[in-house]
Amino acid sequence: MNRNRQKIFFGIGFLLPAIVLVSLIALYPVGYAIHVSLHETSYLKIGSFVGLKNYFTIFRSPEVFNSIKISCIYVFSSLALTIPLSVSIAMLLNRNRRSVNVFRVIILLPWVFSQCTAALLLAWLLNSSYGPVNYVLFTWGLDKINFFGDIKYALPSLIAVNVWWSYPLPTLFFLATLQSVPKDLYEVARIDGASGIECFMYITLPFLLNTLLVVLIMQTMLYFNMVTLVYVLTGGGPLATTETLAFKIFFETLFNIKMGHASALSVLLFLLNLFFATLYSFLLLKKEKLY
Amino acid sequence: MKYCMKVVSIVLVFAFSFSLMVWSAGQAESEESVEITYWDLFEPSPNEEQPRAYALWEAFNLFEEKYPNIKVKAEAVPWGVIERKLIPMAASGETPDVVNVIRGLLALHVDAGTIAPIDKYVASWDSSDWMGGWEPMTIKGKIWGLPAEYRAQVMFEYRADFLKEAGLTVPTTWQDLAGAAKKLTTKTRRGFSIGASLKDTGLNLNELLMTLVWDAGGEIFDEDFNLLYDNEAGLEAFQMLYDLMHKYHAIDKTVLDEDYSTIHQAFVAGTLAMGTISSVRVGTIRKQGNLGENFQIAPLPSYKDGGLHGVGKPSPTLLDGWNHCLGKYAKHPEEAMLLMKWMSEPIVKIKYAKAGIVPPRYSVFKDPFFDQDTLQVRDLLTLKKYIGDYGKFVINPPWNTDYWKLVATEIQRMWLDQQTPQETLATIVKKYKADIMK
C-alpha cells in the first residue's frame, strides 16, 4: 500500500510543474476573465462587484444573439467544407507517385501565409473595384461581384477564404494518419470484393476517427476564436452579417475598451468552445466503441 | 598558489573600482541630462525619401542642439495601436512624456486619463496665430494639447485627366457631382465613391455625414455629447445620402466594401474618378500612381439650394489632424512642454509643410517656401484657405467607435432599402441614447 502511495506521490510530483504551468497559462486567464465579468469596469480599472449584470446586458442584446448565430454558421459551414476537403486531399496525396511531392507543396501553400497576409491578399484579389477576379469576370462578360460588400455574398466569401486558408493543417494530420494504415488491409478487402466506399467506411474511417476528433476540436476552436480574417476583410459588416462573437469581443475590448462587457462575452465564447469540444469527444468516442 | 590568489584579488579590486567609477560617471551624466520619451507615427530618419520621418529627425536634431541637456527618445507607434498601448500603460501609472493623439479620439484619451491639460503652460501664449485658436483642443474648459497639423478630413478629390477627357468641370453641388459621376462611370471605372465599410468602423461615412449636417445648418454633439441633429438638418443630410444612391445613382452598393485604403488604391489604379477622403492622402496617391497634376483636390460640394455658407459656396469640412499631448504621467513635464513648444515653432512647421503637412499656424505661411508655384504649395494654400474659411471641428465622445459603427450600420440599412432616411435618423437617435451614451 505504501509503495502504491509512493508511486502516486511521485507521479503527482513529476506532473506538478506541468500542471502549475498549464494552470497559469490556461486556467488563470479564464478565472480572471470571470472575475472581471462580475465587476463594473472603466477602461482597464476594475470597479465594484455587480454580479451577473454584465451577463444580463449581453443576453438582452439582439446583437449578441446575432453574433452567436453568425459564429455558428461560420464555424459549421467552414467545418462542413474543410473536413471533407482535407480528407479528400489527404487521400489523393497518400498515393505513391513521383508527382505527389510537388502537389504536396502546392496544396499546403496557404498554410505558409499568416491570417493577416492571407486576408490582405484575398481582399485585393476579390476587391469589387480593382481586384483581378472581378476583372476576369468582366472580361468574360459577367457582372462584377461585390464579395465583401454585398449581404448575400459577404459571409459565404468569408467562409470560402477561411476554408482556403485553414485546410492545409487538417490535411497534414489526416495524411499522417492515412500513412499509418496498413496497406494489406485494403488488398484483403479488395480480394473480398469490397468497393471503394466500403474500404473507406470500414478501413480508412475507423483509423481516422481519433484524428478527426482532434481536428474537429482544433478547427472548431480556431474558427470560433478567429478575428483577423473578419477584421481585415469585412470589419463585421455589411450590416453585421459577418460580425462573429470573437470579432465582437475584439471590438469591445480594443476599440470600446469595455472590459466587463467583453469579459462576459469571452466567458460565453469559452463555454461554447467547451460545449462543442465535449460534444465531439462524446460522439466520436461512442462511434469508436461501435467499431 | 598564494601568489595567484593575490593577483586575482588585486585584479578584482581594480575591476570593481573601475565599474564603480563608470557607474558614478553615468549617474553624474544622467543628473545633468534628461531623456524625454516621445511617441509618433514615424521613427525619425535621415532618409529624405521619407519626408515626415526626415522632418522629425531634423526637428529633434535642432531641439537637442538648442537644449543640449535634453535628449529625445522617439518611439514609432502605428496610429491604430496608440490607444491600445497608451490606455493600459496609463492604467498602470505610466505614459510617455509626449504623445501624438488624433483629434477624433481626444475625448477618449481625456476620459481614459492618458493625457494632462496644458493650460498653465500655454496661458501666456498668443493663440491668434493658431488656426481656430485653442478651441479645437478644448474639452470641458481645459486645453489638452497643441495641434501638430491640420487636415481637411473630408476633401473632394478627383482624377483631373478623367474629368478633362469627359469635358467636365469640378462639381460644386451634390447634384452636379451626381451628373458628373454618371458620365464618368464606365465598365472599368466608377464615377464617384465614398467609404461606407465597417472595416474602418464606419469612420469615412461618419465624417461625410458630419459635413452634410453642418452644411444643412445643424450641429453634431453638445458639450455633454448629446446628439444635436435630430431635426431638419439631420434629415436633410440623411436624405442626401439616400438620394446619392437611389435618386441620383452617383454611388452603388460597392461603397459598402469601400474604406480609406480601397478608395486610395482605386484612385491609384484608375478605377475611380472622384471620391471624398482625407487631404492627407493626396501626396501618397499622386506618388504611388505617378499621377502628378492628374490628381487634384477641391472643396466639398454643397447643396444645390445653398448650404451653410450660401448658394455657390462650398460645404464645411471636418478639421482634423494629429496633436502633441502631454502624457499624464510624464516624468519630465517641463522638458516635455519645451519639446511640444519647439515642435510647434514655425522653423519646425515649415519642415513638415515641405513634407505636405498643413501647418496649424498662420505665421508659417509667411515663409518664402509658399511663394513657389508648385503643385504641393498650391495644395497647401488651397487647404489653408478651405480649412481656415470652412473648417469645423467636432469633439467626438469617448464612446465614438460604438457611435460610428451604429451610424454606419443604419446608413447601410437605409441604402439597402430596409428603412427610410427618417427611420434611420430616428433609430440612430434612439439607440444612441439607450445603448451607447454613458
Side-chain angles (χ1 to χ4, degrees):
Chain A
M1 198 61 177
N2 278 337
R3 258 203 165 172
N4 274 337
R5 267 200 198 151
Q6 246 185 355
K7 275 186 186 174
I8 290 167
F9 284 136
F10 263 116
I12 292 171
F14 280 117
L15 281 175
L16 205 57
I19 292 170
V20 166
L21 194 64
V22 168
S23 303
L24 278 173
I25 293 168
L27 297 180
Y28 174 74
V30 173
Y32 188 70
I34 295 170
H35 168 75
V36 173
S37 71
L38 301 172
H39 290 75
E40 190 81 52
T41 56
S42 170
Y43 297 102
L44 272 87
K45 292 183 185 137
I46 300 173
S48 53
F49 178 77
V50 293
L52 297 173
K53 184 183 169 197
N54 286 319
Y55 292 94
F56 290 141
T57 309
I58 64 174
F59 283 119
R60 269 202 296 264
S61 161
E63 283 89 18
V64 171
F65 284 105
N66 179 62
S67 293
I68 294 172
K69 182 189 97 181
I70 300 292
S71 287
C72 289
I73 296 171
Y74 180 73
V75 170
F76 296 111
S77 303
S78 299
L79 283 172
L81 292 169
T82 306
I83 305 292
L85 181 68
S86 304
V87 170
S88 309
I89 293 173
M91 287 175 70
L92 285 170
L93 293 178
N94 194 33
R95 295 176 184 193
N96 282 325
R97 291 205 183 136
R98 262 193 184 170
S99 54
V100 153
N101 286 330
V102 173
F103 285 109
R104 276 182 189 168
V105 171
I106 294 169
I107 282 165
L108 296 176
L109 263 179
W111 191 36
V112 172
F113 298 116
S114 65
Q115 268 190 58
C116 193
T117 310
L120 289 169
L121 177 66
L122 271 299
W124 168 71
L125 278 171
L126 300 173
N127 183 275
S128 51
S129 175
Y130 50 77
V133 170
N134 268 308
Y135 182 73
V136 167
L137 291 175
F138 159 71
T139 54
W140 289 347
L142 300 168
D143 284 336
K144 283 187 182 180
I145 300 174
N146 190 1
F147 288 100
F148 299 114
D150 191 324
I151 53 174
K152 281 199 308 280
Y153 301 126
L155 188 57
S157 302
L158 195 60
I159 290 167
V161 171
N162 183 31
V163 169
W164 171 81
W165 176 77
S166 64
Y167 83 83
L169 189 60
T171 305
L172 270 182
F173 276 47
F174 288 129
L175 181 60
T177 307
L178 286 172
Q179 289 183 338
S180 68
V181 177
K183 299 281 181 272
D184 43 359
L185 286 177
Y186 292 107
E187 283 172 25
V188 167
R190 276 195 203 97
I191 290 166
D192 284 344
S195 65
I197 293 174
E198 282 168 331
C199 284
F200 177 78
M201 292 297 292
Y202 297 109
I203 300 173
T204 313
L205 197 55
F207 272 93
L208 285 180
L209 272 179
N210 281 336
T211 310
L212 185 63
L213 175 64
V214 169
V215 165
L216 271 174
I217 293 171
M218 206 174 69
Q219 295 302 99
T220 302
M221 285 191 198
L222 173 69
Y223 296 154
F224 263 120
N225 298 334
M226 197 173 264
V227 170
T228 309
L229 288 185
V230 180
Y231 180 50
V232 175
L233 291 171
T234 63
L239 280 191
T241 50
T242 59
E243 190 178 70
T244 59
L245 188 58
F247 180 78
K248 197 162 181 61
I249 294 167
F250 168 77
F251 194 83
E252 291 291 294
T253 310
L254 291 175
F255 286 89
N256 292 338
I257 321 178
K258 288 182 190 170
M259 301 309 287
H261 200 226
S263 297
L265 288 169
S266 303
V267 170
L268 179 62
L269 183 61
F270 168 72
L271 291 173
L272 270 172
N273 276 314
L274 195 61
F275 170 73
F276 285 110
T278 312
L279 182 68
Y280 293 146
S281 303
F282 176 72
L283 288 173
L284 285 169
L285 289 173
K286 199 176 169 186
K287 189 100 179 153
E288 203 183 44
K289 279 181 189 163
L290 287 176
Y291 279 109
Chain B
M1 186 66 184
K2 272 189 182 174
Y3 177 73
C4 286
M5 289 301 294
K6 267 190 192 167
V7 168
V8 166
S9 313
I10 291 165
V11 166
L12 281 174
V13 164
F14 266 114
F16 178 69
S17 310
F18 183 70
S19 318
L20 207 58
M21 267 178 4
V22 166
W23 177 79
S24 307
Q27 285 291 92
E29 198 174 299
S30 66
E31 274 155 19
E32 288 165 6
S33 76
V34 155
E35 188 181 76
I36 49 178
T37 48
Y38 173 94
W39 280 13
D40 198 291
L41 301 183
F42 302 95
E43 197 75 47
S45 168
N47 181 0
E48 289 186 45
E49 292 295 306
Q50 298 167 25
R52 287 171 75 168
Y54 181 67
L56 192 62
W57 178 77
E58 282 192 298
F60 285 166
N61 282 344
L62 289 170
F63 177 77
E64 287 176 356
E65 268 175 38
K66 189 175 159 85
Y67 301 101
N69 63 322
I70 306 175
K71 297 287 168 226
V72 181
K73 186 183 166 194
E75 192 180 326
V77 182
W79 74 270
V81 173
I82 290 173
E83 286 68 47
R84 290 171 223 169
K85 213 173 155 177
L86 187 57
I87 292 174
M89 267 180 82
S92 61
E94 273 204 39
T95 59
D97 294 293
V98 180
V99 61
N100 274 265
V101 168
I102 193 83
R103 280 209 71 262
L105 300 178
L106 198 61
L108 169 67
H109 283 275
V110 171
D111 199 46
T114 61
I115 56 177
I118 58 167
D119 301 68
K120 64 178 182 186
Y121 300 105
V122 305
S124 58
W125 295 14
D126 176 16
S127 64
S128 62
D129 189 37
W130 295 78
M131 283 196 235
W134 297 140
E135 221 188 318
M137 302 304 298
T138 303
I139 297 176
K140 306 253 184 213
K142 291 188 179 170
I143 303 165
W144 294 91
L146 296 175
E149 53 144 12
Y150 276 137
R151 54 179 75 169
Q153 190 62 0
V154 193
M155 193 78 194
F156 180 66
E157 297 174 16
Y158 62 98
R159 287 288 300 263
D161 47 342
F162 296 154
L163 262 69
K164 189 177 174 187
E165 204 179 278
L168 295 166
T169 54
V170 177
T172 54
T173 68
W174 289 108
Q175 288 79 354
D176 288 344
L177 181 144
K182 266 194 229 158
K183 285 187 185 162
L184 289 164
T185 300
T186 65
K187 285 192 174 159
T188 53
R189 184 177 73 206
R190 281 171 304 134
F192 177 66
S193 189
I194 51 184
S197 167
L198 288 178
K199 283 182 279 189
D200 61 356
T201 63
L203 183 61
N204 197 206
L205 185 53
N206 270 273
E207 290 168 343
L208 178 63
L209 176 69
M210 284 184 214
T211 63
L212 288 170
V213 169
W214 284 328
D215 206 23
E219 290 295 341
I220 314 300
F221 297 110
D222 66 13
E223 229 188 33
D224 298 317
F225 305 119
N226 292 299
L227 278 178
L228 292 177
Y229 57 78
D230 183 16
N231 50 30
E232 286 297 316
L235 192 54
E236 195 172 349
F238 281 95
Q239 189 66 53
M240 177 51 73
L241 283 171
Y242 182 84
D243 289 346
L244 277 173
M245 187 177 286
H246 293 290
K247 184 177 172 185
Y248 303 123
H249 307 290
I251 52 174
D252 58 23
K253 286 164 195 167
T254 50
V255 300
L256 269 69
D257 190 30
E258 297 270 58
D259 60 3
Y260 278 119
S261 297
T262 55
I263 291 180
H264 175 132
Q265 290 304 325
F267 273 131
V268 169
T271 58
L272 180 64
M274 306 182 289
T276 56
I277 55 170
S278 173
S279 63
V280 81
R281 296 247 174 183
V282 173
T284 324
I285 292 172
R286 276 203 190 113
K287 194 174 172 185
Q288 283 179 356
N290 202 21
L291 296 173
E293 298 269 359
N294 286 331
F295 189 70
Q296 295 288 350
I297 59 173
L300 279 175
S302 183
Y303 295 103
K304 194 172 185 177
D305 301 333
L308 180 69
H309 296 281
V311 177
K313 297 286 186 188
S315 161
T317 184
L318 174 62
L319 183 69
D320 207 346
W322 288 95
N323 307 278
H324 297 307
C325 298
L326 180 65
K328 185 163 181 189
Y329 302 104
K331 290 190 175 73
H332 309 286
E334 305 294 334
E335 289 81 3
M337 277 309 302
L338 282 176
L339 177 62
M340 280 167 60
K341 185 167 193 280
W342 173 252
M343 294 301 287
S344 65
E345 290 291 338
I347 187 176
V348 171
K349 286 300 159 211
I350 193 64
K351 294 182 192 304
Y352 279 90
K354 289 172 184 171
I357 302 298
V358 180
R361 296 180 71 168
Y362 292 114
S363 52
V364 182
F365 289 93
K366 291 178 186 157
D367 192 281
F369 169 74
F370 289 98
D371 295 333
Q372 299 171 71
D373 184 23
T374 63
L375 187 53
Q376 188 187 53
V377 170
R378 287 202 299 272
D379 279 347
L380 288 170
L381 292 173
T382 301
L383 286 165
K384 177 205 170 194
K385 181 156 175 52
Y386 188 37
I387 290 168
D389 295 348
Y390 299 96
K392 279 176 78 82
F393 65 92
V394 69
I395 304 287
N396 285 306
W399 46 87
N400 50 28
T401 43
D402 251 347
Y403 163 69
W404 291 339
K405 201 175 147 201
L406 166 67
V407 169
T409 304
E410 295 307 321
I411 292 174
Q412 287 181 354
R413 219 183 289 282
M414 178 181 77
W415 275 332
L416 293 172
D417 261 327
Q418 292 181 13
Q419 58 191 14
T420 64
Q422 292 89 333
E423 286 164 348
T424 306
L425 178 55
T427 306
I428 288 170
V429 170
K430 183 180 167 197
K431 283 187 175 177
Y432 178 75
K433 266 188 207 153
D435 303 331
I436 293 175
M437 207 173 148
K438 280 191 197 170

